[in-house]
Amino acid sequence: MKKLPILSQLALCTSLALTGFLAQAADVKGTAEAGQSKVWLCTGCHSIPDYRADYPLVYKVPMIGGQNAGYIVSALYSYKKGERKHPTMRAISGSLSDQDMADIAEYYAAQTANSPKNPLK
């Protein structure tokens, strides 16, 4: 049997590990009710119409109410892994568990673009 070069072995192991990680994350079921108490940090930017963040570049922050939950979870994982480049979102997503991400995603999926600015009232 022919041995794979070390870089190919490393790439294979990494892809298998990520596949397992994402498969495990896909099994986590979130709830909007649990997400309501977890979005306090998100609302500071994502609940302000036409909000623009100026770090690291001028960036128009999207309103995420009504967005598909799967998309939100995928985006959070991409920030966490560094595939999406925004230092604030990377730091925030890095502090979230799989359950937190699923709950937050379900909360925002249950909202609309015109949802109340303060979800904790």
Side-chain angles (χ1 to χ4, degrees):
M1 186 164 112
K2 195 168 156 184
K3 286 183 106 178
L4 290 173
I6 189 73
L7 288 178
S8 294
Q9 291 175 2
L10 183 60
L12 178 62
C13 289
T14 301
S15 67
L16 289 173
L18 286 175
T19 300
F21 175 73
L22 291 175
Q24 177 187 1
D27 293 338
V28 177
K29 301 293 182 212
T31 67
E33 294 78 23
Q36 184 175 8
S37 65
K38 298 177 182 183
V39 297
W40 61 272
L41 193 56
C42 310
T43 59
C45 296
H46 290 287
S47 294
I48 302 171
D50 299 319
Y51 181 68
R52 296 183 189 279
D54 60 0
Y55 181 81
L57 302 170
V58 175
Y59 178 79
K60 185 175 183 212
V61 178
M63 298 291 286
I64 55 177
Q67 182 60 267
N68 177 280
Y71 177 82
I72 293 172
V73 169
S74 176
L76 288 169
Y77 277 115
S78 293
Y79 283 117
K80 190 172 190 170
K81 292 187 297 184
E83 293 172 354
R84 285 188 175 205
K85 309 292 183 197
H86 192 280
T88 304
M89 284 302 302
R90 183 157 190 199
I92 291 168
S93 62
S95 71
L96 300 174
S97 69
D98 293 350
Q99 188 64 57
D100 293 337
M101 289 184 194
D103 291 338
I104 289 168
E106 288 299 328
Y107 173 81
Y108 276 109
Q111 303 303 306
T112 68
N114 297 321
S115 292
K117 290 183 178 161
N118 186 351
L120 301 177
K121 284 187 177 180

